[in-house]
Amino acid sequence: MERAVKLRVRVDYSTYSALKEVEEEYREVLEEAINYGLVNKTTSFTRIKAGVYKTEREKHKNLPSHYIYTACEDASERLDSFEKLKKRGRSYTEKPSVRKVTVHLDDHLWKFNLDTISISTKRSRVFISPTFPKIFWRYYNKGWRIASEARFKLLKGNVVEFYVIFKKDEPKPYEPKGFIPVDLNENSVSVLVDGKPMLLETNTKRITLGYEYRRKAITTGKPTKDREVRRKLKRLRERDKKVDIRRKLAKLIVIEAFESMSAIVLEDLPRRTPEHMIKDVKDKQLRLRIYRSAFSSMKNVIIEKAREFGVPVVLVNPSYTSTVCPIHGAKIVYQLDGGDAPRVGVCEKGKEKWHRDVVALYNLAKRAGDVSPVPLGSKESHDPPIRWLRAKSLHSIMNEHKMIEMKV
């Protein structure tokens, strides 16, 4: 496992100039390494380094040789990423373009201590003295080690953005004693904990629509390239708010699974899930909400956090999880309630009521291999609010570090 912590330091002009020289020559080596990989149809670091090292060493005699090594590693990573995007049909250029440069460092090019960080340049070493944020100390004091590699990039105003990489050994895998299925929805995430369905509200719908209305008010009658318009749009921070919600939800779910020694069960969502979901939807507002719900992003954040804690994740087929009764295997017929997607349906065979999100949780658990029976009688209602438990607000949950049930 590894994590990158970003440090921003304002340096003097001479230090910035020395790093700027390194960045410019690093960019040249990087572009040559990428071109070599494209011409020779390889993404291998070893082959790229063997092909360009001698030539680049002659061109950049004063540049420390290890910058050529790290530039070749950077080129290898960029080419490999580009090839994967190309196979998926997501590449928009014929070859990877070098627009932004982040200089990669190995253990020969930088040295770390809590007072200063030294970086090799063309003439000598330069020293920067960052102020460490809280997240740095969190990793530093909790068993994470600082890796031998690091990165930096230069910003306007003589600012250096430095990335310290923390690493930690993968925790030993444990045998899960149970399952915690998680169903991702547009405006909430439902979880089954100890046989009890819980609803974690995200308010994504309100956020999406609120920011869309504000965006329209800002751009109506004005070009989007206008500086003032762009400044106002940037301040909306819709993405930041949604990312924050995803991270808090992921932490909450993973810690619950870790403490109960359970595996997390998620739907194995296909690529471009929103595009598939809105294919037959005509309502423009609903299409917008679904597209910006970012189901795959939520899934990926949970998986990433689960890896950090060593919690296993089981991906299952998402087809018909909310339309098949987990007790009888019969179809669930949803009653029209005036909404776009009716939430409560009736099993054709058992005639019991099911809530769409509740039935999805039990079906996900069954598909993951949970053989425990559904803890409700076949004639009993599975319709909220009788059987539905709702978690408190995200803020209060994160402060208490656990899910606290609150009956509706």
Side-chain angles (χ1 to χ4, degrees):
M1 293 185 294
E2 68 177 42
R3 296 289 183 272
V5 175
K6 179 171 63 178
L7 312 174
R8 282 191 177 178
V9 191
R10 188 181 296 277
V11 298
D12 56 49
Y13 178 77
S14 61
T15 300
Y16 190 86
S17 298
L19 294 174
K20 187 66 176 177
E21 289 179 345
V22 170
E23 184 197 57
E24 289 172 352
E25 297 201 23
Y26 180 92
R27 176 190 285 271
E28 293 175 12
V29 177
L30 176 60
E31 289 175 341
E32 290 298 325
I34 289 175
N35 290 334
Y36 180 88
L38 290 171
V39 171
N40 293 274
K41 297 181 180 179
T42 180
T43 62
S44 166
F45 159 68
T46 306
R47 289 184 61 187
I48 292 173
K49 186 188 75 171
V52 304
Y53 179 78
K54 187 175 180 180
T55 306
E56 296 305 314
R57 194 75 189 103
E58 288 295 322
K59 286 184 188 177
H60 309 280
K61 292 182 179 180
N62 294 327
L63 186 71
S65 60
H66 280 262
Y67 279 113
I68 301 176
Y69 297 159
T70 57
C72 291
E73 287 180 345
D74 192 356
S76 174
E77 292 172 5
R78 288 173 183 249
L79 287 166
D80 185 58
S81 177
F82 180 77
E83 288 298 321
K84 289 178 180 177
L85 289 173
K86 196 172 182 180
K87 288 179 181 177
R88 296 175 187 170
R90 302 298 295 271
S91 61
Y92 303 104
T93 57
E94 293 299 321
K95 64 177 184 178
S97 57
V98 182
R99 290 180 295 176
K100 296 181 180 179
V101 172
T102 301
V103 181
H104 291 221
L105 306 171
D106 63 14
D107 55 350
H108 293 269
L109 298 172
W110 78 295
K111 301 295 179 184
F112 173 86
N113 62 57
L114 293 176
D115 295 324
T116 57
I117 295 173
S118 68
I119 306 172
S120 293
T121 64
K122 293 178 66 175
R123 292 184 292 273
S124 62
R125 284 184 172 268
V126 297
F127 299 89
I128 63 174
S129 300
T131 300
F132 300 108
K134 288 182 180 179
I135 192 169
F136 174 90
W137 297 112
R138 189 183 305 166
Y139 289 124
Y140 189 81
N141 294 321
K142 289 192 176 181
W144 293 72
R145 68 179 186 278
I146 296 177
S148 59
E149 65 269 16
R151 301 189 294 271
F152 78 84
K153 68 178 179 181
L154 303 179
L155 307 178
K156 294 179 180 179
N158 292 354
V159 174
V160 179
E161 195 168 82
F162 196 89
Y163 295 87
V164 178
I165 311 298
F166 283 94
K167 288 191 175 181
K168 190 176 185 181
D169 295 333
E170 293 284 346
K172 294 181 179 179
Y174 60 80
E175 290 295 327
K177 297 179 180 178
F179 296 94
I180 294 184
V182 180
D183 183 43
L184 309 178
N185 302 292
E186 178 214 346
N187 203 42
S188 63
V189 173
S190 49
V191 187
L192 190 66
V193 180
D194 295 330
K196 298 175 182 178
M198 308 183 75
L199 181 68
L200 309 178
E201 292 185 332
T202 61
N203 287 325
T204 305
K205 173 183 174 181
R206 181 178 59 82
I207 294 170
T208 300
L209 294 179
Y211 281 96
E212 184 61 20
Y213 296 147
R214 291 167 64 186
R215 189 177 290 106
K216 283 184 178 179
I218 292 170
T219 58
T220 300
K222 299 176 183 178
T224 55
K225 292 185 179 180
D226 182 78
R227 179 178 293 181
E228 184 65 18
V229 171
R230 290 172 65 184
R231 185 182 66 82
K232 289 181 179 179
L233 290 175
K234 190 175 181 180
R235 291 176 61 185
L236 291 181
R237 300 174 66 86
E238 176 186 3
R239 179 181 178 276
D240 293 343
K241 196 171 185 72
K242 289 182 178 179
V243 167
D244 180 63
I245 290 172
R246 291 183 205 124
R247 288 175 178 169
K248 287 178 178 178
L249 279 170
K251 183 178 179 181
L252 179 67
I253 292 166
V254 170
I255 289 178
E256 187 72 32
F258 180 77
E259 292 179 349
S260 61
M261 295 291 284
S262 302
I264 297 172
V265 185
L266 293 170
E267 293 178 325
D268 189 9
L269 300 174
R271 293 174 186 165
R272 303 187 183 183
T273 299
E275 286 92 330
H276 295 297
M277 293 179 68
I278 67 175
K279 191 180 297 182
D280 300 322
V281 177
K282 296 182 180 179
D283 187 335
K284 290 184 178 180
Q285 188 185 97
L286 182 58
R287 287 169 64 90
L288 173 74
R289 283 162 34 200
I290 294 173
Y291 193 80
R292 292 192 183 169
S293 295
F295 297 102
S296 295
S297 297
M298 183 71 245
K299 182 192 79 171
N300 293 336
V301 171
I302 294 174
I303 292 173
E304 182 181 350
K305 180 61 70 171
R307 285 177 184 155
E308 181 181 332
F309 282 79
V311 174
V313 175
V314 182
L315 299 177
V316 300
N317 186 353
S319 301
Y320 307 110
T321 52
S322 59
T323 57
V324 175
C325 175
I327 299 175
H328 306 102
K331 182 181 178 181
I332 296 176
V333 179
Y334 286 94
Q335 303 162 345
L336 296 177
D337 57 5
D340 296 316
R343 310 307 296 170
V344 179
V346 178
C347 172
E348 285 186 329
K349 185 176 181 180
K351 303 304 179 183
E352 70 273 11
K353 289 184 178 180
W354 283 100
H355 189 278
R356 182 180 291 272
D357 298 336
V358 176
V359 70
L361 293 174
Y362 287 125
N363 279 323
L364 288 174
K366 285 184 67 176
R367 293 183 185 185
D370 189 352
V371 296
S372 58
V374 178
L376 301 171
S378 60
K379 294 297 182 183
E380 189 171 348
S381 173
H382 304 62
D383 175 24
I386 299 172
R387 304 294 305 187
W388 192 260
L389 298 175
R390 179 168 297 178
K392 289 184 178 179
S393 68
L394 271 181
H395 178 73
S396 63
I397 293 171
M398 297 309 297
N399 288 338
E400 297 163 3
H401 300 292
K402 61 181 180 178
M403 293 188 196
I404 296 185
E405 300 166 6
M406 182 172 67
K407 291 188 178 180
V408 178

